[in-house]
Amino acid sequence: MKLDWTVYGLELRSPLRISRSVMARRDAVRVVIECDGSRGHGEVVTSQYYGLDVERITGLLRDLAPVVAECADPAELTLPELPPGVLAAVDTALHDLRALRQGVPVHRLVGVPQWTDVPTAYTIGIGAPASAASQAADLAARGFTVLKVKVGSEHDVATVDAVRVAAPEARLILDPNGGWTAEQAVRVVDQLTGVDALEQPIAPGQWDELAWLRERCPVPLIADEDAATADDVRALAGLVDGVNVKLAKCGGITAAREIIDVARASGLDVMLGCLVASSLGIAPAVHLTGYARWVDLDGHLLLADDPWTGIGGEDGTLRLSGAPGLGVTPGVEHR
């Protein structure tokens, strides 16, 4: 087999502000594994939070290339320890390759024989309440029924109230990205109505505070940064109501399936989340949506120019073509 990669930039439609940062662009690395004329694809994006830049990503892939070259069967490749984002891209490429060779969609490989269209959340970044309301009204008009509101400013209550008025039928997920205290979370949520879930309200590592908050929080509490591994999820049982599974956080489809199984066995609901990425980077999680209560796979929708196509979402609903593999293709201008 042969491993190759390409670096490209991803520009956002507009800067996205969360409680800990503002992002206007990021770089992505397309990973390609070729075997007997078939080519499987995956994508890893740069992330300051996860300590991944282009130099580190491409260096790790360069070291991995000889390992891949020594293996003739994608099902028999044993991968070395890699950062989760890089591992996720390689794992995705291997799943794509195996599915292409078998002539089936990836979701068939991971235990989802029938896949159905699914609504996705769309993320509204931190900003003025009037701006958030304008975005919410536009998104609702386009067909979005789930909105994720980033919070962590002095205007949180006013912002969420404005979004609720602008999109009264939408389900709302609040995400402070760990920017609140437990006491602040209770105080803010108690002032709101119509919130469907609260995601990682406090900084990771404060599990006693999570348990304290869950006893007082009237909406489902979802762990994100606290839930990186299957062992984390086992330990979180009883402390939260659900976990956010991100392939770039856990290491790809293989790891995500293990985490999902552990979560369901532990009585926890599953959210599927993502980083800002192209349709290629989002697609593997889309194939897992049959396991999720909440779907937050909008990373490709935040881009000014998505270099890949094939998973939909522009009207609030994700769709797969049913084609073998991931089911995504490069846009005309990127072929």
Side-chain angles (χ1 to χ4, degrees):
M1 295 192 298
K2 179 183 177 182
L3 172 66
D4 202 356
W5 57 90
T6 305
V7 180
Y8 46 95
L10 300 174
E11 302 284 343
L12 275 67
R13 294 179 186 272
S14 58
L16 177 65
R17 180 187 171 197
I18 65 175
S19 62
R20 60 174 180 252
S21 64
V22 178
M23 179 177 57
R25 75 175 305 278
R26 72 186 340 152
D27 290 313
V29 181
R30 179 181 65 187
V31 175
V32 183
I33 299 180
E34 183 173 353
C35 181
D36 297 332
S38 296
R39 291 160 58 88
H41 293 80
E43 181 182 81
V44 53
V45 294
T46 56
S47 169
Q48 184 176 0
Y49 184 82
Y50 290 114
L52 290 176
D53 57 18
V54 169
E55 183 177 4
R56 186 179 183 207
I57 293 168
T58 55
L60 289 165
L61 293 173
R62 194 174 298 112
D63 292 341
L64 181 61
V67 177
V68 174
E70 291 177 357
C71 184
D73 185 344
E76 296 179 358
L77 178 62
T78 300
L79 295 173
E81 185 173 343
L82 293 167
V86 179
L87 179 59
V90 177
D91 180 74
T92 294
L94 290 169
H95 275 82
D96 189 29
L97 181 59
R98 288 173 54 208
L100 288 170
R101 285 158 60 93
Q102 294 180 35
V104 299
V106 164
H107 64 80
R108 291 276 298 276
L109 294 183
V110 295
V112 185
Q114 299 295 324
W115 190 93
T116 58
D117 298 349
V118 62
T120 180
Y122 191 103
T123 301
I124 298 174
I126 294 176
S131 175
S134 177
Q135 291 181 65
D138 175 67
L139 290 165
R142 287 167 53 187
F144 283 88
T145 58
V146 187
L147 301 177
K148 180 172 177 175
V149 184
K150 294 288 188 179
V151 288
S153 78
E154 65 273 22
H155 305 299
D156 287 341
V157 173
T159 296
V160 178
D161 284 344
V163 168
R164 169 54 64 214
V165 170
E169 303 301 320
R171 297 164 55 199
L172 299 185
I173 301 170
L174 305 188
D175 184 9
N177 287 106
W180 287 348
T181 64
E183 293 80 4
Q184 185 180 7
V186 172
R187 185 168 63 251
V188 172
V189 172
D190 279 350
Q191 298 178 67
L192 302 172
T193 59
V195 176
D196 198 59
L198 178 61
E199 180 183 349
Q200 195 67 47
I202 63 176
Q206 304 180 76
W207 289 17
D208 288 344
E209 291 290 290
L210 274 179
W212 180 91
L213 175 57
R214 189 192 182 213
E215 292 179 355
R216 295 160 177 81
C217 186
V219 301
L221 185 61
I222 303 170
D224 179 3
E225 287 85 353
D226 269 320
T229 68
D231 286 342
D232 290 340
V233 173
R234 289 187 185 94
L236 284 165
L239 304 183
V240 294
D241 301 286
V243 292
N244 188 347
V245 180
K246 294 177 180 174
L247 272 63
K249 176 180 66 176
C250 70
I253 296 172
T254 301
R257 281 293 288 112
E258 180 187 4
I259 289 174
I260 289 168
D261 287 346
V262 169
R264 297 172 78 185
S266 302
L268 297 173
D269 286 316
V270 171
M271 169 187 276
L272 279 169
C274 64
L275 305 183
V276 173
S278 78
S279 288
L280 172 60
I282 304 300
V286 176
H287 284 265
L288 296 172
T289 53
Y291 296 112
R293 174 177 173 181
W294 302 279
V295 175
D296 177 29
L297 299 176
D298 65 339
H300 62 304
L301 302 175
L302 305 180
L303 299 179
D305 178 24
D306 186 354
W308 290 77
T309 186
I311 58 174
E314 293 80 5
D315 62 351
T317 299
L318 297 168
R319 298 176 176 87
L320 291 176
S321 66
L326 290 173
V328 295
T329 57
V332 174
E333 63 274 26
H334 298 282
R335 291 176 184 170

